[in-house]
Structures are given as C-alpha cells and as structure tokens.
Amino acid sequence: MSESRQHHELVTNVIDYIRTKVGEDLFCLIESDAMDGHPLPELTLEGFRPDVFYEYQEVMYIGEAKTEKDIERQHSREQYESYLKKCSIYPGKAEFILAIPFTKYTVASEIIRSLREKYPGDYEIKIIPGHV
C-alpha cells in the first residue's frame, strides 16, 4: 500500500472515531485535510495543521494520522507536542487521537506518554492502531 493511501485510511479512522463520539448531527463540524468536503483545520499557534479537528460546545478533538515512516520523525514529535499542549490548556473536554499502523503501537505509545508528562491536564489520548 502506498504511503499516501495508508495515510488517507488512517485519517478516515480518526474521522470515524470522532463521528462515533459526536454523532451524525454534528459530523458536519469535523474539519479534515482528507479532501472529503470538510474544511481544512486551522493551524495551531506553533504552525501545525492537524489532520482532523473538531470543536463545538466546549468539546475538542484533535486527530493526527502517521504512517510507519513518519511516527518517530522530529517534525511529528513537534506536532504531537503542539496538539497535546493545546489539549492541556483547553477549558472544556479535550482529546488527542493518533492513528498509526498497528505495528508501531508500542513506539507511538511511548512517544506520547513521554510528551504527556510535559503537558499534564485533564484531557484524554486515544491511539488507534490501523492496518499496515
């Protein structure tokens, strides 16, 4: 499977996860870079654009999809850090979702766990293992 196709499938996994959380009535408020008719998410203060974003009535979801080659890159780590920081200071309910190939679940979990220590707060993290 090509890397761009895999990335698209992982983004779709994030969108589907958020859809189950917010319901069909609010599905239209999801922003994504999947070229699926949803508007593009805005940049964070650090200049990163998440793959998927949702915010409504004090509920926020930030979703990112990473292929096997991207999970451990410095740029990816900076993105995770930016998104966790945003979640940590959000005044409502916040969740960061990371979709990755299942073969990289342990690596991704370790990276996110170490970054979470820098940004404590009342938010959730969900790692969604997808297919290779």
Side-chain angles (χ1 to χ4, degrees):
M1 178 184 311
S2 74
E3 191 168 349
S4 62
R5 183 170 165 215
Q6 182 186 47
H7 183 264
H8 182 77
E9 286 183 15
L10 292 167
V11 170
T12 300
N13 290 348
V14 174
I15 292 170
D16 290 345
Y17 174 80
I18 295 172
R19 173 187 261 168
T20 64
K21 294 290 198 171
V22 304
E24 291 299 320
D25 291 345
L26 299 176
F27 173 69
C28 62
L29 299 177
I30 295 174
E31 301 171 357
S32 81
D33 69 353
M35 295 185 292
D36 56 0
H38 292 284
L40 276 175
E42 291 185 20
L43 298 175
T44 63
L45 291 175
E46 296 81 14
F48 298 109
R49 184 184 314 278
D51 292 319
V52 185
F53 185 80
Y54 172 93
E55 184 178 17
Y56 184 68
Q57 294 184 340
E58 297 187 20
V59 175
M60 180 182 71
Y61 294 97
I62 299 175
E64 187 66 18
K66 291 295 178 190
T67 61
E68 196 165 356
K69 293 179 183 178
D70 286 337
I71 290 170
E72 297 179 75
R73 290 187 177 156
Q74 184 60 35
H75 176 79
S76 297
R77 291 172 188 262
E78 291 168 1
Q79 286 179 299
Y80 308 148
E81 192 164 347
S82 175
Y83 305 150
L84 293 179
K85 179 181 176 184
K86 186 172 179 81
C87 286
S88 74
I89 62 174
Y90 189 71
K93 178 185 182 284
E95 185 170 356
F96 173 65
I97 303 114
L98 179 61
I100 45 91
F102 74 90
T103 57
K104 290 293 189 173
Y105 184 85
T106 301
V107 171
S109 296
E110 290 172 4
I111 292 169
I112 296 302
R113 183 181 41 77
S114 69
L115 290 173
R116 170 81 188 241
E117 292 174 6
K118 290 177 72 174
Y119 299 101
D122 189 23
Y123 62 96
E124 296 184 30
I125 295 173
K126 173 74 173 177
I127 299 177
I128 301 173
H131 299 292
V132 176

